[in-house]
Amino acid sequence: MPNMGPVIASFYKIVVVHISKLQCLTFFPLRDAPPPITAHRILPIGYVNGCHFIRLELTPDAPLPLASRTWERYCSDVASSWATLYVDQMTLFKRFIGTDVAVVDILGDSN
């Protein structure tokens, strides 16, 4: 998912949320400004049993994982406002999970 998340988010202009035991990331489009919040679509995907991707259902105010570092590095100025719209949900996720979460993305950085 770290390789395809940015591609899916950018092509369909949606928010992609990846949840698994090893990694949780949110991907936003890299080049497009966000539409009005009422038009946002979120595609939450879970990776289970080490071999299956399933579509998840999230409540509208569900906590969201932090944005991919790849997105943070390469998003355009216009696209950077995506994360601003979800900062409360990402902060809530971080509060629930804690600071000992590995964030690994396509470039292989970890934190």
Side-chain angles (χ1 to χ4, degrees):
M1 187 53 70
N3 296 325
M4 293 307 296
V7 174
I8 296 167
S10 294
F11 184 82
Y12 292 103
K13 297 173 181 52
I14 61 173
V15 178
V16 177
V17 176
H18 170 71
I19 306 286
S20 76
K21 281 185 175 182
L22 299 176
Q23 181 179 60
C24 298
L25 293 169
T26 298
F27 303 95
F28 301 108
L30 288 166
R31 302 285 170 239
D32 296 292
I37 194 77
T38 56
H40 284 209
R41 293 181 310 158
I42 298 177
L43 174 62
I45 299 173
Y47 185 64
V48 296
N49 298 329
C51 59
H52 296 287
F53 288 99
I54 60 170
R55 187 175 194 296
L56 303 173
E57 292 291 329
L58 299 178
T59 60
D61 58 345
L64 296 178
L66 299 177
S68 160
R69 288 207 173 138
T70 301
W71 179 82
E72 290 176 348
R73 256 189 221 113
Y74 298 109
C75 72
S76 67
D77 290 339
V78 172
S80 66
S81 58
W82 279 94
T84 305
L85 298 170
Y86 292 96
V87 71
D88 291 340
Q89 289 170 275
M90 290 188 286
T91 301
L92 189 58
F93 184 89
K94 192 173 181 179
R95 188 176 328 141
F96 283 142
I97 300 301
T99 57
D100 297 330
V101 175
V103 178
V104 180
D105 64 23
I106 194 169
L107 299 177
D109 292 342
S110 64
N111 182 14

